[in-house]
Amino acid sequence: MLSADALRPDHFVIASVASVSARLRSLRLGRQLHEHFVVSPYSGDDVVKSSLVDMYCKCGFPDDARKLFDSMGAKNSVVWTALVSGYASNGRGEEALQLFRSMPGRNLFAWTALISGLVMTGESVGAVELFVEMRRDDIRIDDAFVLSIVIGGAGQAVACDILSAREVFEGITFRAVISWTTMVVGEAQHGRAEEALALYDRMVLAGAKPNKVTFVGLIYACSHAGLVQKGRQLFESMKNEYGITPGLQHYTCYLDLLSRSGHLLEAEELMATMPYEPDEATWGALLSACKKYKDAEMCIRIADKLLELWPKDSSTYILLSNVYAVNGKWDSVAKVRKCTIGLEIRKEPVYSWIEAGREFRLFHAGEVPLDVREEIMGFLEEMVLEMRKRGYVPDTSSVMHDLEENEKEHHLFLHSERLAVAFGLIKSPPGSVIRVVKNLRVCVDCHTVMKLISEITHRKIVVRDSSFHHFECGKCSCSEFW
């Protein structure tokens, strides 16, 4: 069209191409179009400006979008919503909320855009406070909308405020199965087995029919609380009362329940007879349990099977190496490690990350950043003195190196989750919750340390590894099943 003299793109064409730029996330195309628009006869057209605002937001440049927004005359709800969503989805939660609160005629579409953006980026917003504002706006609180908040509360790595999620859930007038199920799964993920099971009882009494996802959450909850009999009952109930054929995920959770509780032979037998080919996660769960219960013979048998099926999976070699180390077989440890080098298998780096105030920090095991080294080391040394007064003795069984005992203790001292928690306690406001995410499972000693630190500092600490740990007053929500 641009090359044809007789054809000039009008404002509708420019707006359409701006929408294409937004969908493609093509900032280059969007900027070229913006330059063309500025010198066109339609440079004052608000429809085109609205499309360009959306383009800049979707390409990650909400400040450029704001300049265009401010130059517009009449602003409709669509352009307001686009900019609010742009700030929210680009991690600018405070600006999104500030703009949103100045928006006239806020509707459900605008609310959904705001919450979706905040949840997507893990912004720590008060879900309950936003809900109060929704009610003031006379917005109908429906399941689909609440679900996005509940998922944000129960599923996001950082915004893991299960209590706010639950409070929001209780505000729903009419609950569909999907809302019940999401909340059950959320409670299970946070190690709150009793709450998940009580919610399930309420769900059944309310006449809502649980689905296959509901039972995944319930069996997962039993697995992380050691409730073997309850888990068996639910597994049978799913088949006999609700006619749901267990899938691989159900069997994996059930196997995990048996394995974690020490029923290793029963778990192995179930694996051999179930109507599915066990996947890597299923074998891995049994292997981890063998290590936990120090069944070296079974561990080697399971590891051999895993290595046969997935010969380049580093976690299998690491677990096998750890089993040998726990049993003091250092020659075997050396052989396994030599094997991993020969196959060019690399161990995944261990790290933890935290947001304190408006500062994000990533910590690697054994590495303390220079700018906070003195503060963190001083804090941890102080904590160790206080913990020893309470009878703390370091559990060095997770240190898989042939070292002297004091060297092993120093190794534990610099685990990434401890560094992250120390940073959080130093940098965050008094009384605030410390939230840490770790890419691998928390070790036994760090788990003990977190409980003691929560007691000493009178602070709540939430650590997420493969599940959620809520440490408070010297106790953890997982009840030692993790």
Side-chain angles (χ1 to χ4, degrees):
M1 286 181 76
L2 290 172
S3 63
D5 292 335
L7 292 172
R8 269 188 176 274
D10 62 12
H11 56 297
F12 291 113
V13 173
I14 297 171
S16 297
V17 180
S19 296
V20 170
S21 305
R23 284 175 179 270
L24 293 172
R25 305 295 192 269
S26 175
L27 182 65
R28 183 172 144 306
L29 174 61
R31 285 204 189 282
Q32 287 178 344
L33 189 71
H34 190 179
E35 288 168 10
H36 175 81
F37 168 67
V38 169
V39 296
S40 76
Y42 311 102
S43 58
D45 189 89
D46 284 343
V47 173
V48 178
K49 286 183 180 180
S50 181
S51 297
L52 288 169
V53 165
D54 185 50
M55 180 276 295
Y56 278 120
C57 287
K58 285 191 167 70
C59 290
F61 286 81
D63 290 332
D64 288 351
R66 183 61 187 261
K67 289 174 189 173
L68 267 170
F69 176 85
D70 289 339
S71 72
M72 293 176 67
K75 303 178 181 78
N76 61 23
S77 63
V78 175
V79 73
W80 275 95
T81 301
L83 189 57
V84 166
S85 177
Y87 275 126
S89 59
N90 283 289
R92 307 269 289 274
E94 287 184 16
E95 287 147 295
L97 285 167
Q98 188 178 5
L99 183 68
F100 181 75
R101 283 169 177 150
S102 65
M103 176 181 174
R106 301 181 301 198
N107 54 23
L108 180 59
F109 180 60
W111 272 104
T112 305
L114 173 71
I115 297 295
S116 298
L118 293 172
V119 165
M120 184 172 66
T121 55
E123 285 281 318
S124 300
V125 295
V128 178
E129 288 176 27
L130 288 176
F131 233 65
V132 170
E133 286 194 48
M134 274 190 77
R135 286 171 175 155
R136 275 200 231 112
D137 283 0
D138 198 27
I139 300 294
R140 182 180 173 273
I141 303 171
D142 65 353
D143 279 356
F145 184 76
V146 172
L147 186 61
S148 68
I149 302 179
V150 173
I151 290 171
Q156 284 289 329
V158 182
C160 48
D161 188 350
I162 190 65
L163 298 178
S164 291
R166 183 60 181 265
E167 195 172 340
V168 167
F169 172 82
E170 296 297 349
I172 305 173
T173 309
F174 302 103
R175 302 183 185 98
V177 172
I178 193 169
S179 295
W180 285 105
T181 296
T182 302
M183 201 64 241
V184 165
V185 171
E187 296 283 16
Q189 284 181 330
H190 283 261
R192 291 158 55 92
E194 288 184 17
E195 288 82 356
L197 294 168
L199 201 61
Y200 169 67
D201 290 338
R202 282 176 57 193
M203 176 183 181
V204 173
L205 285 172
K209 187 179 177 182
N211 60 24
K212 59 184 181 181
V213 181
T214 316
F215 282 101
V216 169
L218 291 167
I219 299 169
Y220 179 94
C222 293
S223 170
H224 287 254
L227 303 174
V228 180
Q229 286 307 114
K230 186 64 178 177
R232 290 187 206 276
Q233 179 193 328
L234 287 164
F235 192 76
E236 293 303 316
S237 170
M238 172 177 63
K239 296 185 289 183
N240 302 331
E241 290 182 48
Y242 295 99
I244 298 171
T245 303
L248 178 59
Q249 205 172 3
H250 297 103
Y251 276 102
T252 300
C253 287
Y254 190 32
L255 280 161
D256 191 45
L257 166 64
L258 295 172
S259 302
R260 285 172 185 270
S261 304
H263 299 266
L264 300 180
L265 292 175
E266 185 182 350
E268 191 175 19
E269 185 182 343
L270 179 65
M271 189 183 289
T273 57
M274 69 184 194
Y276 299 96
E277 197 65 37
D279 62 3
E280 193 175 352
T282 311
W283 285 105
L286 186 55
L287 183 60
S288 295
C290 293
K291 174 181 173 283
K292 176 183 176 181
Y293 290 100
K294 299 182 181 178
D295 190 331
E297 185 183 332
M298 188 175 181
C299 189
I300 293 165
R301 187 169 72 249
I302 300 299
D304 284 343
K305 186 67 179 177
L306 262 166
L307 292 173
E308 179 189 324
L309 296 170
W310 295 279
K312 291 213 169 185
D313 179 25
S314 62
S315 61
T316 306
Y317 289 94
I318 292 161
L319 269 172
L320 187 56
S321 171
N322 291 354
V323 169
Y324 285 135
V326 167
N327 289 278
K329 298 180 179 179
W330 297 109
D331 289 343
S332 297
V333 171
K335 285 177 185 176
V336 172
R337 288 180 180 164
K338 188 176 180 181
C339 183
T340 63
I341 294 168
L343 291 170
E344 295 185 348
I345 295 167
R346 296 183 182 277
K347 182 180 176 181
E348 184 180 359
V350 183
Y351 62 82
S352 298
W353 67 278
I354 183 172
E355 178 190 7
R358 296 188 63 82
E359 190 175 356
F360 287 87
R361 279 293 181 117
L362 185 73
F363 291 91
H364 288 91
E367 300 175 12
V368 189
L370 285 174
D371 63 322
V372 288
R373 182 180 180 82
E374 192 175 331
E375 287 178 284
I376 286 177
M377 297 300 282
F379 177 84
L380 288 175
E381 285 166 6
E382 185 184 330
M383 285 297 107
V384 169
L385 290 174
E386 286 296 323
M387 290 189 295
R388 288 192 186 278
K389 291 176 186 176
R390 288 167 165 78
Y392 165 67
V393 177
D395 181 342
T396 58
S397 62
S398 63
V399 181
M400 303 305 164
H401 300 280
D402 191 8
L403 302 170
E404 295 296 326
E405 197 63 21
N406 64 323
E407 291 177 296
K408 288 185 177 183
E409 288 182 19
H410 183 69
H411 195 279
L412 290 172
F413 189 78
L414 297 177
H415 275 193
S416 64
E417 59 268 50
R418 295 193 200 193
L419 302 177
V421 166
F423 177 82
L425 288 165
I426 292 164
K427 298 293 183 181
S428 63
S432 60
V433 179
I434 305 301
R435 304 182 192 279
V436 172
V437 180
K438 187 178 181 183
N439 67 326
L440 298 178
R441 189 173 293 182
V442 174
C443 79
V444 175
D445 189 66
C446 283
H447 194 265
T448 301
V449 166
M450 296 302 162
K451 288 190 290 183
L452 288 167
I453 289 177
S454 74
E455 182 181 33
I456 293 165
T457 61
H458 304 289
R459 297 282 287 276
K460 183 173 181 179
I461 301 167
V462 181
V463 179
R464 182 176 184 176
D465 50 10
S466 57
S467 55
F468 287 91
H469 301 266
H470 293 253
F471 299 98
E472 193 169 15
C473 301
K475 295 180 181 177
C476 179
S477 60
C478 75
S479 302
E480 310 309 312
F481 282 90
W482 88 96

